[in-house]
Amino acid sequence: MSDPRYTPLRERHEALGASFTDFGGWQMPVRYTSDLAEHHAVRQAAGIFDISHMAEFLVTGDFAGEFLDYSLAGRLSAMAVGKAKYSLMLADDGGIIDDVIVYRLADDRFLVIANAGNRGFVDAAFASRVRSFPSRIEREMPARAEGEDRSFAGFIGDRGVDVEDVSDDYALLAVQGPASEAIVSSTPGITDLGTPWAEQKYYAWADALFQGAPLLLARTGYTGEDGFELLVRAADAPALWDALVEAGKPHGLVPAGLAARDTLRLEAGMPLYGHELSRETKPSQAGLGRVVVSDKDDFIGKGAVHAASDAPVLVGLVAEGKRAGRAGYSVVDADGIVLGEVTSGALSPTLGHPIAMAYVAPSSAAAGTAVFLDVRGTRIPATVTALPFYRRTK
């Protein structure tokens, strides 16, 4: 068993009295004070999260965009520089290896952020796809002098693609909530912003500096609120954390852990790998069919992205009372016949009633369908509802 890993902010978390939990082999803060207080702070003001356990891959080269079109389910080559896009890495059988966010840094340079627990799988998949990619693009390459090496090794440096796992070089912080822009824009040390604050859009990024070092400032997040994710060199993370916390004091910023992050993303209807997404899940089952660009040239998994017509599909559930369904609990009908299984559930701090996501039979997936949650032998009435449960108003 490998030793647990810690982010560069371990000392900050320990000083704040954080409770830690294992997450993808990393010891991560699960809470600092109260799950509810941290959740409400993000909805009403702002929270700061350490998400440095996430994995980062740089994809570079003349064919970087085309390579990502081949490797992922979306059309990344059409994305403008400065933008970001949610996408999926699929296996040959259409199952989901991981869900990722891709940032286009330049015409020939992309950043892919993957889940911590899937870092090794994504790395291995990229390595395999780098090897199989040249045969696909050989026809697009200009004619070469007779006898010139046409193998991948012959053009990787200047005509192909390279993928580098840079996860250990960087740290990633997130500031999420209605006050996030006011906090980040007033943080001392953040300078040389490439895009004015008023022009920054959702799912886009801007260049900046923090204390003279490179900073990638992305308007993305996993809470359902406005917010930013800030990528810096690992060595700069403690100073950036301190600066953000100081700037956030007048705005009610609090450190927030994985427990609050989970209830926030659940309210926002955002899937979590290992719960709503897995190698056995097809995109259409998870409501992610829109992510797949099926009319592009061949990509890994293209021939198997569609699930069987009777395959379970992801739905939202709202229940009565205060007892929430948890992952693994059964969803049943009035006769006790099992219709599906809960993947995530909680008593919603914002809405005040139990919510859950679950995979159920298509015949029971229509909004308004009455079902029951089997909560340790007690049937709790619930109703199928459209996702998300919560949507910010501005």
Side-chain angles (χ1 to χ4, degrees):
M1 186 174 181
S2 59
D3 293 334
R5 302 191 66 184
Y6 292 86
T7 79
L9 295 168
R10 175 182 181 179
E11 292 182 0
R12 299 298 189 276
H13 303 320
E14 291 176 339
L16 290 165
S19 299
F20 289 84
T21 188
D22 178 81
F23 195 88
W26 293 78
Q27 286 295 303
M28 298 298 296
V30 65
R31 69 182 57 82
Y32 297 86
T33 55
S34 156
D35 300 352
L36 286 176
E38 293 166 21
H39 179 108
H40 288 310
V42 174
R43 288 280 181 253
Q44 299 165 9
I48 182 170
F49 300 84
D50 177 10
I51 52 173
S52 301
H53 61 311
M54 301 292 282
E56 291 87 29
F57 297 86
L58 277 178
V59 181
T60 58
D62 287 353
F63 284 95
E66 290 81 357
F67 171 74
L68 288 173
D69 287 350
Y70 169 69
S71 297
L72 304 178
R75 183 174 281 117
L76 291 311
S77 62
M79 182 168 54
V81 174
K83 299 297 184 180
K85 185 182 289 289
Y86 178 83
S87 194
L88 300 170
M89 174 177 276
L90 305 179
D92 288 329
D93 63 3
I96 300 172
I97 294 175
D98 201 14
D99 60 332
V100 301
I101 297 181
V102 183
Y103 301 84
R104 189 162 199 167
L105 307 181
D107 287 343
D108 60 353
R109 190 175 181 86
F110 295 78
L111 175 70
V112 179
I113 296 186
N115 286 295
N118 289 333
R119 176 180 173 180
F121 299 113
V122 172
D123 189 30
F126 270 143
S128 174
R129 291 164 201 211
V130 164
R131 291 191 294 270
S132 62
F133 180 58
S135 61
R136 177 181 178 274
I137 64 167
E138 213 168 51
R139 65 182 182 273
E140 302 177 29
M141 295 171 58
R144 295 194 170 206
E146 185 176 353
E148 186 174 357
D149 182 7
R150 291 184 60 83
S151 68
F152 184 69
F155 68 85
I156 186 171
D158 62 348
R159 293 297 300 168
V161 63
D162 188 30
V163 180
E164 182 183 4
D165 182 346
V166 296
S167 308
D168 294 335
D169 298 333
Y170 293 95
L172 191 61
L173 310 184
V175 178
Q176 301 281 298
S180 58
E181 181 177 323
I183 293 167
V184 179
S185 64
S186 64
T187 298
I190 296 181
T191 61
D192 294 68
L193 193 66
T195 303
W197 292 106
E199 298 177 16
Q200 291 187 27
K201 305 298 183 182
Y202 190 51
Y203 264 70
W205 64 271
D207 269 326
L209 296 177
F210 175 67
Q211 296 182 352
L215 167 67
L216 187 146
L217 190 65
R219 199 156 204 160
T220 50
Y222 193 54
T223 63
E225 296 294 340
D226 188 20
F228 296 87
E229 295 179 323
L230 300 92
L231 186 75
V232 292
R233 297 179 308 193
D236 298 319
L240 178 59
W241 173 277
D242 292 344
L244 289 166
V245 168
E246 187 63 28
K249 286 180 178 178
H251 300 281
L253 177 75
V254 304
L258 292 181
R261 187 172 168 86
D262 191 49
T263 51
L264 290 160
R265 68 92 192 168
L266 174 58
E267 289 182 346
M270 295 177 170
L272 175 64
Y273 200 92
H275 288 252
E276 289 71 45
L277 307 179
S278 72
R279 276 286 283 103
E280 288 70 46
T281 308
K282 302 290 183 72
S284 58
Q285 292 179 261
L288 297 175
R290 67 190 185 282
V291 177
V292 180
V293 180
S294 57
D295 65 348
K296 65 179 180 174
D297 289 341
D298 287 346
F299 61 92
I300 302 294
K302 179 177 181 177
V305 295
H306 300 295
S309 60
D310 60 349
V313 294
L314 187 67
V315 299
L317 298 173
V318 294
E320 302 174 6
K322 299 296 182 180
R323 297 185 68 181
R326 304 291 182 179
Y329 285 11
S330 294
V331 181
V332 301
D333 66 11
D335 296 321
I337 297 173
V338 175
L339 304 173
E341 184 176 290
V342 173
T343 54
S344 299
L347 177 62
S348 168
T350 303
L351 305 175
H353 57 71
I355 59 174
M357 288 195 280
Y359 277 98
V360 301
S363 58
S364 301
T369 301
V371 297
F372 296 86
L373 299 176
D374 187 343
V375 180
R376 297 178 181 176
T378 300
R379 293 184 191 174
I380 306 296
T383 304
V384 175
T385 188
L387 296 170
F389 303 102
Y390 164 87
R391 195 186 303 273
R392 73 175 188 264
T393 56
K394 61 178 180 178

